PDB file of all heavy atoms in Angstrom:
ATOM      1  N   PRO X 108      -4.784 -11.435  -4.621  1.00 81.00           N
ATOM      2  CA  PRO X 108      -3.873 -10.284  -4.575  1.00 81.00           C
ATOM      3  C   PRO X 108      -4.343  -9.172  -5.504  1.00 81.00           C
ATOM      4  O   PRO X 108      -5.022  -9.422  -6.492  1.00 81.00           O
ATOM      5  CB  PRO X 108      -2.552 -10.868  -5.067  1.00 81.00           C
ATOM      6  CG  PRO X 108      -2.948 -11.959  -5.998  1.00 81.00           C
ATOM      7  CD  PRO X 108      -4.233 -12.516  -5.451  1.00 81.00           C
ATOM      8  N   GLN X 109      -3.978  -7.965  -5.149  1.00 84.00           N
ATOM      9  CA  GLN X 109      -4.312  -6.788  -5.950  1.00 84.00           C
ATOM     10  C   GLN X 109      -3.138  -5.831  -5.940  1.00 84.00           C
ATOM     11  O   GLN X 109      -2.354  -5.815  -5.001  1.00 84.00           O
ATOM     12  CB  GLN X 109      -5.514  -6.058  -5.362  1.00 84.00           C
ATOM     13  CG  GLN X 109      -6.812  -6.738  -5.605  1.00 84.00           C
ATOM     14  CD  GLN X 109      -7.955  -5.783  -5.328  1.00 84.00           C
ATOM     15  OE1 GLN X 109      -7.914  -4.612  -5.672  1.00 84.00           O
ATOM     16  NE2 GLN X 109      -8.986  -6.303  -4.710  1.00 84.00           N
ATOM     17  N   VAL X 110      -3.077  -5.024  -6.975  1.00 84.00           N
ATOM     18  CA  VAL X 110      -2.095  -3.948  -7.023  1.00 84.00           C
ATOM     19  C   VAL X 110      -2.762  -2.714  -7.602  1.00 84.00           C
ATOM     20  O   VAL X 110      -3.567  -2.805  -8.520  1.00 84.00           O
ATOM     21  CB  VAL X 110      -0.846  -4.335  -7.846  1.00 84.00           C
ATOM     22  CG1 VAL X 110      -1.196  -4.587  -9.300  1.00 84.00           C
ATOM     23  CG2 VAL X 110       0.233  -3.284  -7.734  1.00 84.00           C
ATOM     24  N   VAL X 111      -2.445  -1.580  -7.010  1.00 88.00           N
ATOM     25  CA  VAL X 111      -2.870  -0.283  -7.517  1.00 88.00           C
ATOM     26  C   VAL X 111      -1.577   0.489  -7.723  1.00 88.00           C
ATOM     27  O   VAL X 111      -0.731   0.533  -6.825  1.00 88.00           O
ATOM     28  CB  VAL X 111      -3.766   0.461  -6.492  1.00 88.00           C
ATOM     29  CG1 VAL X 111      -4.159   1.829  -7.011  1.00 88.00           C
ATOM     30  CG2 VAL X 111      -4.987  -0.365  -6.132  1.00 88.00           C
ATOM     31  N   ASP X 112      -1.391   1.063  -8.911  1.00 85.00           N
ATOM     32  CA  ASP X 112      -0.139   1.773  -9.150  1.00 85.00           C
ATOM     33  C   ASP X 112      -0.388   3.252  -9.378  1.00 85.00           C
ATOM     34  O   ASP X 112      -1.489   3.681  -9.697  1.00 85.00           O
ATOM     35  CB  ASP X 112       0.615   1.166 -10.332  1.00 85.00           C
ATOM     36  CG  ASP X 112       0.010   1.540 -11.670  1.00 85.00           C
ATOM     37  OD1 ASP X 112      -1.210   1.384 -11.818  1.00 85.00           O
ATOM     38  OD2 ASP X 112       0.742   1.990 -12.556  1.00 85.00           O
ATOM     39  N   ASP X 113       0.653   4.021  -9.180  1.00 87.00           N
ATOM     40  CA  ASP X 113       0.641   5.440  -9.491  1.00 87.00           C
ATOM     41  C   ASP X 113       1.831   5.699 -10.404  1.00 87.00           C
ATOM     42  O   ASP X 113       2.936   5.973  -9.935  1.00 87.00           O
ATOM     43  CB  ASP X 113       0.742   6.279  -8.222  1.00 87.00           C
ATOM     44  CG  ASP X 113       0.529   7.761  -8.500  1.00 87.00           C
ATOM     45  OD1 ASP X 113       0.564   8.163  -9.686  1.00 87.00           O
ATOM     46  OD2 ASP X 113       0.354   8.520  -7.541  1.00 87.00           O
ATOM     47  N   PRO X 114       1.634   5.580 -11.716  1.00 80.00           N
ATOM     48  CA  PRO X 114       2.755   5.700 -12.643  1.00 80.00           C
ATOM     49  C   PRO X 114       3.385   7.088 -12.658  1.00 80.00           C
ATOM     50  O   PRO X 114       4.495   7.250 -13.138  1.00 80.00           O
ATOM     51  CB  PRO X 114       2.144   5.356 -14.003  1.00 80.00           C
ATOM     52  CG  PRO X 114       0.689   5.564 -13.849  1.00 80.00           C
ATOM     53  CD  PRO X 114       0.372   5.330 -12.401  1.00 80.00           C
ATOM     54  N   LEU X 115       2.708   8.083 -12.105  1.00 80.00           N
ATOM     55  CA  LEU X 115       3.254   9.436 -12.077  1.00 80.00           C
ATOM     56  C   LEU X 115       4.024   9.737 -10.797  1.00 80.00           C
ATOM     57  O   LEU X 115       4.538  10.841 -10.634  1.00 80.00           O
ATOM     58  CB  LEU X 115       2.122  10.453 -12.255  1.00 80.00           C
ATOM     59  CG  LEU X 115       1.295  10.288 -13.537  1.00 80.00           C
ATOM     60  CD1 LEU X 115       0.157  11.296 -13.564  1.00 80.00           C
ATOM     61  CD2 LEU X 115       2.168  10.396 -14.768  1.00 80.00           C
ATOM     62  N   ALA X 116       4.105   8.783  -9.898  1.00 84.00           N
ATOM     63  CA  ALA X 116       4.786   9.016  -8.628  1.00 84.00           C
ATOM     64  C   ALA X 116       6.279   9.245  -8.849  1.00 84.00           C
ATOM     65  O   ALA X 116       6.920   8.544  -9.620  1.00 84.00           O
ATOM     66  CB  ALA X 116       4.574   7.820  -7.696  1.00 84.00           C
TER      67      ALA X 116
END
Side-chain angles (χ1 to χ4, degrees):
Q109 285 195 41
V110 63
V111 178
D112 75 310
D113 188 346
L115 303 177

